[in-house]
Amino acid sequence: MAERSQTAPEAGNDTGNDDAIGGNVSKYMVLPTGYCGQPKKGHLIFDACFESGNLGRVEQVSEFEYDLFIRPDTCNPRFRVWFNFTVENVKESQRVIFNIVNFSKTKSLYRDGMAPMVKSTSRPKWQRLPPKNVYYYRCPDHKKNYVMSFAFCFDREEDIYQFAYCYPYTYTRFQHYLDSLQKRNMDYFFREQLGQSVQQRQLDLLTITSPDNLREGAEQKVVFITGRVHPGETPSSFVCQGIIDFLVSQHPIARVLREHLVFKIAPMLNPDGVYLGNYRCSLMGFDLNRHWLDPSPWAHPTLHGVKQLIIQMYNDPKTSLEFYIDIHAHSTMMNGFMYGNIFEDEERFQRQAIFPKLLCQNAEDFSYSSTSFNRDAVKAGTGRRFLGGLLDHTSYCYTLEVSFYSYIVGGTTAAVPYTEEAYMKLGRNVARTFLDYYRLNPLVEKVAVPVPRLRKEKPPPYKHPFVRGSASNYPNGKGDKKSSVNYKDPSNPF
Ligand SMILES: [Zn+2]
């Protein structure tokens, strides 16, 4: 989440366990205590030495039960939330309980029915585990830390299983995505390298606009969007991709938006943290969203690069920077919602509420009532706060948050778990809301006639049938049957 202070109690303040965790486990086979024979099937092998992987340590508690330790963020042991690891060498029908024992937060959507993600080699589509097999509780065996336990039954011996906190979205996936966009040779899509991270990864900047807006001397209305400053907040990337996909499409609304606005998008502000499987920090352990006031070119180079560009645009009389939106994911709240700033100027304050109100009309998962405006001192170093202070009264700066877990549609009480598609749909709705904001709707009909229709928007492909306490709201059997997994219910034998 964007807005949590480093000193907030739930951010944690110790390493969560007595032994320091150096790096990720690497093809680590767990043998029963005292076992001297040959390794065999069922001796689980844990691995997190891959991109965005995170698992620091494994301890076997009993034949069936394993304590798992999240590897803390690099150079910052206080953040332990994201996990992403594989398990192989399983036996068919092998039942296990995994306990994630060293979370650095106490509040969690696990209390509201969130469940870890799973996929396997033969079923490569991510699924949420049934929430009824997930337990979140204060554990006397682990310094009263909050522990998330889940029961699981392996069903295919040859499969490698992967478990993660949320849908992963890696740096490599992002690069491939941008490569594929570039190959389409669209004359309204531009990709440049704005800078490099400490580990020399690309800081990509995209410009999406009609070429007319880029000719010498043209006046530009700019919408600036950033994402993944917090690397574990993977939904940020899905939302961002939804925005980009929509803006480069042939949809009549997208065409009008490109004609009137210049979209500048830096979708991955913390590529090292993403690559390393951190939750909140950069390679050097910095929460980059607390360093906007004075980013250093060597310690926070990606942030420094983006800030320089924004200041340059601010100083250009031909450029009007009208929106800045930084996309995050939230670990305790439902829905999509926004944070904005508080201004003395009442009219500006009112005008700032317009965009989230319009977005609420377009996106069923976006909650205006969860949207809030603040000027807390601890958030002074965030992009939203810093730029809100810098830019003039016609600019609006928001943090867009989206739940790691689910949304509740108005008038109902059932939580609908987010899918990758639902996150992307939120992105598309963010993009189309600019049409309403700038009252460009009448222009859409003009361009709509000769344009082929966009594919009809599909509903989210997968609603999980297992929602704690309200299973009847999710009839089985809809959508995506092919890859649907029926993991055996392992909860009974325990
Ligand atoms: Zn965040």
Side-chain angles (χ1 to χ4, degrees):
M1 67 181 94
E3 305 279 335
R4 196 61 65 191
S5 149
Q6 282 194 4
T7 53
E10 65 267 42
N13 54 10
D14 59 29
T15 55
N17 61 308
D18 296 323
D19 306 319
I21 296 170
N24 285 323
V25 292
S26 175
K27 297 281 181 188
Y28 175 71
M29 181 184 280
V30 181
L31 295 172
T33 318
Y35 182 83
C36 302
Q38 290 292 313
K40 55 185 184 189
K41 271 281 183 195
H43 292 157
L44 299 183
I45 297 174
F46 292 83
D47 189 54
C49 281
F50 53 86
E51 189 179 354
S52 289
N54 186 316
L55 185 66
R57 195 150 65 94
V58 181
E59 284 177 8
Q60 191 162 20
V61 181
S62 72
E63 187 186 347
F64 302 106
E65 193 174 354
Y66 301 79
D67 280 352
L68 308 182
F69 294 78
I70 295 169
R71 172 190 52 76
D73 279 10
T74 51
C75 305
N76 196 329
R78 293 162 60 228
F79 296 103
R80 304 175 306 275
V81 176
W82 173 257
F83 59 85
N84 182 13
F85 60 92
T86 60
V87 180
E88 60 190 294
N89 201 39
V90 308
K91 264 199 312 207
E92 198 181 321
S93 301
Q94 183 174 0
R95 291 157 198 270
V96 294
I97 292 179
F98 288 156
N99 309 312
I100 308 257
V101 299
N102 67 335
F103 280 113
S104 56
K105 298 166 86 75
T106 54
K107 283 191 197 164
S108 171
L109 285 163
Y110 289 125
R111 293 189 296 201
D112 303 299
M114 187 166 88
M117 313 297 307
V118 63
K119 68 174 188 176
S120 75
T121 334
S122 65
R123 288 150 300 184
K125 188 179 167 63
W126 286 102
Q127 313 258 323
R128 285 186 198 275
L129 287 172
K132 65 184 169 62
N133 295 347
V134 179
Y135 313 89
Y136 189 69
Y137 55 101
R138 211 166 194 160
C139 182
D141 294 342
H142 294 98
K143 301 180 186 172
K144 294 191 178 165
N145 210 351
Y146 274 84
V147 168
M148 189 270 290
S149 297
F150 60 97
F152 191 79
C153 183
F154 296 107
D155 57 353
R156 295 186 189 174
E157 298 210 342
E158 297 314 311
D159 269 18
I160 299 172
Y161 292 78
Q162 187 172 353
F163 301 90
Y165 178 73
C166 191
Y167 304 97
Y169 193 116
T170 64
Y171 172 74
T172 298
R173 173 178 176 165
F174 172 58
Q175 291 299 315
H176 287 161
Y177 169 62
L178 295 189
D179 292 347
S180 72
L181 288 175
Q182 254 182 320
K183 283 191 189 124
R184 287 162 61 182
N185 286 322
M186 299 171 282
D187 68 354
Y188 47 80
F189 172 86
F190 308 88
R191 175 189 186 184
E192 64 194 286
Q193 189 178 331
L194 187 57
Q196 279 192 326
S197 65
V198 173
Q199 286 184 321
Q200 313 283 296
R201 293 191 180 88
Q202 290 214 157
L203 170 61
D204 287 289
L205 175 73
L206 312 179
T207 303
I208 303 172
T209 191
S210 153
D212 265 4
N213 294 324
L214 300 176
R215 67 180 196 281
E216 191 75 26
E219 300 209 348
Q220 299 188 347
K221 282 184 180 172
V222 175
V223 173
F224 207 108
I225 296 169
T226 54
R228 285 307 275 287
V229 69
H230 290 148
E233 294 172 359
T234 57
S236 164
S237 285
F238 293 103
V239 174
C240 211
Q241 183 174 329
I243 293 174
I244 297 165
D245 282 340
F246 184 80
L247 289 176
V248 301
S249 75
Q250 291 306 312
H251 195 291
I253 293 177
R255 288 158 56 101
V256 169
L257 290 175
R258 290 197 299 266
E259 273 169 30
H260 285 81
L261 298 166
V262 178
F263 291 89
K264 294 271 182 190
I265 307 178
M268 198 170 275
L269 286 185
N270 188 352
D272 291 348
V274 169
Y275 185 87
L276 294 164
N278 283 354
Y279 177 63
R280 195 173 174 101
C281 298
S282 64
L283 166 77
M284 292 160 78
F286 295 111
D287 178 349
L288 296 179
N289 206 32
R290 292 294 179 277
H291 288 274
W292 275 88
L293 292 174
D294 192 20
S296 136
W298 64 272
H300 327 105
T302 56
L303 196 62
H304 184 261
V306 168
K307 183 178 168 181
Q308 293 294 104
L309 174 67
I310 289 177
I311 289 176
Q312 189 189 322
M313 290 193 310
Y314 173 67
N315 290 328
D316 179 351
K318 295 273 186 203
T319 301
S320 168
L321 180 49
E322 311 223 323
F323 280 91
Y324 171 73
I325 301 178
D326 192 25
I327 308 173
H328 290 252
H330 208 284
S331 67
T332 62
M333 302 269 284
M334 305 275 206
N335 297 83
F337 60 95
M338 282 177 141
Y339 290 113
N341 294 313
I342 284 178
F343 303 107
E344 302 298 336
D345 176 355
E346 178 63 21
E347 196 205 324
R348 184 182 185 189
F349 186 60
Q350 298 289 340
R351 274 187 284 124
Q352 186 188 219
I354 294 172
F355 188 86
K357 278 181 181 163
L358 292 171
L359 178 54
C360 186
Q361 287 169 13
N362 288 336
E364 65 170 5
D365 56 321
F366 184 84
S367 164
Y368 183 74
S369 58
S370 298
T371 293
S372 66
F373 304 92
N374 65 65
R375 54 177 155 200
D376 301 358
V378 292
K379 294 168 185 172
T382 64
R384 163 181 67 85
R385 277 290 300 283
F386 170 74
L387 294 171
L390 172 79
L391 303 176
D392 60 35
H393 67 281
T394 57
S395 307
Y396 298 100
C397 301
Y398 305 94
T399 302
L400 171 62
E401 296 274 1
V402 63
S403 175
F404 271 111
Y405 168 44
S406 70
Y407 57 95
I408 294 173
V409 180
T412 70
T413 52
V416 182
Y418 271 106
T419 59
E420 298 180 25
E421 166 60 21
Y423 286 128
M424 290 197 259
K425 185 174 180 184
L426 176 59
R428 297 197 290 274
N429 285 326
V430 168
R432 69 168 66 210
T433 298
F434 289 104
L435 187 87
D436 303 329
Y437 182 86
Y438 287 103
R439 298 180 181 171
L440 299 169
N441 307 61
L443 300 173
V444 173
E445 281 161 27
K446 281 188 197 162
V447 299
V449 182
V451 174
R453 281 170 63 93
L454 187 76
R455 276 180 301 134
K456 209 178 159 199
E457 230 166 47
K458 284 188 203 155
Y462 168 72
K463 279 185 184 174
H464 207 288
F466 307 104
V467 170
R468 193 176 284 165
S470 58
S472 61
N473 291 325
Y474 296 90
N476 238 327
K478 285 266 158 69
D480 224 41
K481 282 184 186 152
K482 217 168 101 192
S483 60
S484 159
V485 183
N486 277 321
Y487 294 109
K488 290 176 197 165
D489 177 1
S491 55
N492 293 337
F494 298 100

